[in-house]
Amino acid sequence: MPSNAGTLIPCLPQAPVHASAGLALFLDLDGVLAPMASTPDAVVADPRRTRILHTLDHALEGRLAVISGRTLPEIDRITGGAARSAAGVHGLQRRRRDGSTATIEPSAGVAAAVEAFRAFAETHPGMIVEDKGVSAGLHYRAVPHVEAEALALADVWAERAGLVAQPGKLVVELKTPGADKGTALTAFMGEPAFANAMPVMLGDDLTDEAGFLAAEAMGGFGILVGAPRETAARYGLADVEAVLTWLEAVAMEAQPA
């Protein structure tokens, strides 16, 4: 069991810089590599972020992957194409280091969930509906007072359409069953580039807990970004700036002597 599972720790210890012993990094995007924004499209590429990812990928000899709720094209847009290994839509899409991809077949219920979300959004201006093919997303960051209604609607359609409800930070997603960030991390660890490495997952949201658990089960650990909460992560970093600074330190430590 993860050391912190079910425990609210006021302040998680600072994440150590373990690089020389075969570290493998798995990074969430929004809230970890990029600040949260009012809309998904408002998050854009950043030269520092892209440079750090390129440097890490080289220093870690390819043991780097971005695992996000966004689609693969969105991951590429925001990272400047620096993430050769990437998993999108919480693991439902996955691109291996060699460029080949694996995508779980979309559930037939996703289309109906998208329409239900759109009908709901029409009565609540400011909401954003995303159709990701394998999932339907409902963002209510601009109208946080509708959270209870949004989550209730998602629960209804999860049962009706045979989907998985995935709550996040002022967003809820109805996704095709069959994968999460933990299964994505585990799949990457089965590839040659990641073999025998120690997995470390960085995440900020409830969707990242599956990744923390998978990393811990395979001899690594999770790093929670942001405010303390109940988590399976062992370590913490305060915010995106702290993450980027930590990643720069990891890259420097991992450089060949």
Side-chain angles (χ1 to χ4, degrees):
M1 284 290 292
S3 56
N4 297 330
T7 303
L8 178 61
I9 297 180
C11 185
L12 288 166
Q14 173 79 16
V17 179
H18 287 308
S20 58
L23 182 75
L25 284 178
F26 299 93
L27 310 173
D28 184 25
L29 189 49
D30 293 280
V32 174
L33 288 174
M36 301 297 291
S38 56
T39 66
D41 291 344
V43 181
V44 296
D46 173 75
R48 180 189 179 197
R49 182 193 309 130
T50 300
R51 182 179 67 251
I52 289 171
L53 292 176
H54 276 302
T55 302
L56 275 171
D57 187 68
H58 175 74
L60 297 177
E61 300 179 322
R63 301 188 304 273
L64 175 75
V66 169
I67 302 180
S68 172
R70 289 184 183 259
T71 63
L72 290 175
E74 279 287 282
I75 292 172
D76 290 341
R77 177 181 69 82
I78 295 169
T79 64
R84 291 180 59 181
S85 298
V89 199
H90 312 288
L92 291 171
Q93 302 171 337
R94 198 168 67 84
R95 182 174 64 220
R96 306 175 186 90
R97 187 164 179 81
D98 63 9
S100 62
T101 59
T103 301
I104 290 180
E105 191 69 23
S107 170
V110 171
V114 169
E115 290 309 309
F117 279 171
R118 285 176 175 160
F120 183 65
E122 285 178 3
T123 63
H124 298 82
M127 302 187 83
I128 297 173
V129 177
E130 281 190 290
D131 182 355
K132 301 179 184 179
V134 291
S135 76
L138 181 66
H139 296 259
Y140 48 91
R141 185 167 300 276
V143 283
H145 61 278
V146 306
E147 180 170 57
E149 291 179 77
L151 294 178
L153 176 68
D155 285 342
V156 167
W157 276 94
E159 183 174 355
R160 185 177 298 176
L163 302 172
V164 176
Q166 183 75 73
K169 290 183 176 178
L170 297 176
V171 61
V172 64
E173 200 157 344
L174 288 172
K175 64 190 190 76
T176 299
D180 57 29
K181 291 186 178 182
T183 61
L185 185 151
T186 301
F188 280 125
M189 288 295 292
E191 295 181 17
F194 295 90
N196 302 314
M198 180 178 70
V200 175
M201 174 77 192
L202 276 72
D204 70 312
D205 210 341
L206 294 175
T207 62
D208 300 304
E209 291 295 326
F212 297 156
L213 288 168
E216 187 88 23
M218 301 185 78
F221 54 85
I223 300 175
L224 177 67
V225 180
R229 59 169 170 79
E230 186 175 300
T231 182
R234 267 199 263 166
Y235 300 99
L237 290 167
D239 50 29
V240 171
E241 176 59 31
V243 169
L244 296 179
T245 299
W246 185 81
L247 292 176
E248 287 172 331
V250 171
M252 184 175 297
E253 176 81 8
Q255 293 289 353

